[in-house]
Amino acid sequence: MRAKVLSIPTLLIAMFFMSWQDADAHCEIPCGIYGDSLRIQQIDEHITTLEKSMNQIIELSEEGDKNYNQLVRWVTNKEEHAVKIQDIVSQYFLHQRIKPVDPSDSEEYEKYVKRLTLLHKLQVYAMKAKQTTDLEYIEKLRDTLHKFADAYFHKH
């Protein structure tokens, strides 16, 4: 009986601390509940936020009397959204949705490699967007996301 009494408080404490963790990506407990289209929309929204952040950083940097507090806020915002893209790509698509394919099935393996390549590009372009205010990476992110969505949702 004593073991049960000790295990309930321990369980409650564990649940309390687990609730503090970010739960941005969907679970990894094969629940079968996936929102692939939603994740694509979220990445698209993060790209738009990156673009807005970059434009604000550029605009604020060109002002004579710089508002460094606002600059820091936009830089931090830009970096957070770049990381969110990387998290969705990694945690959701690479960990859960893109399954390894037998190389002997050349058609499926080609699709697999294409999807992995596009996801890797999204990761790299998000990193580059984090490091700079070069809007070229916004276009690369959008183009790559579009290509990934096409490769992921459409049968070729």
Side-chain angles (χ1 to χ4, degrees), residues 44-55:
D44 185 54
E45 186 175 287
H46 292 309
I47 293 168
T48 301
T49 304
L50 281 171
E51 181 179 35
K52 170 86 178 194
S53 298
M54 287 180 176
N55 285 324

Side-chain angles (χ1 to χ4, degrees), residues 6 28-29 31 40 46 57 60 63 71 83 100 108 144 150:
L6 290 176
E28 292 183 20
I29 59 166
C31 66
I40 297 295
H46 292 309
I57 292 165
L60 289 166
E63 291 179 359
L71 269 169
V83 168
E108 286 302 309
T144 305
D150 188 50

Side-chain angles (χ1 to χ4, degrees), residues 21-75:
Q21 295 176 351
D22 287 339
D24 293 336
H26 199 71
C27 65
E28 292 183 20
I29 59 166
C31 66
I33 303 168
Y34 298 106
D36 298 339
S37 297
L38 173 63
R39 295 315 184 281
I40 297 295
Q41 290 173 345
Q42 287 175 330
I43 293 172
D44 185 54
E45 186 175 287
H46 292 309
I47 293 168
T48 301
T49 304
L50 281 171
E51 181 179 35
K52 170 86 178 194
S53 298
M54 287 180 176
N55 285 324
Q56 289 297 307
I57 292 165
I58 292 166
E59 184 180 316
L60 289 166
S61 296
E62 292 172 350
E63 291 179 359
D65 191 17
K66 294 185 181 22
N67 184 338
Y68 291 106
N69 289 332
Q70 281 299 93
L71 269 169
V72 168
R73 291 179 74 205
W74 282 108
V75 168

Side-chain angles (χ1 to χ4, degrees), residues 74-92:
W74 282 108
V75 168
T76 301
N77 187 61
K78 177 175 68 82
E79 291 184 2
E80 287 173 359
H81 285 274
V83 168
K84 287 178 181 183
I85 292 170
Q86 293 171 321
D87 288 345
I88 293 170
V89 168
S90 178
Q91 186 70 20
Y92 186 79

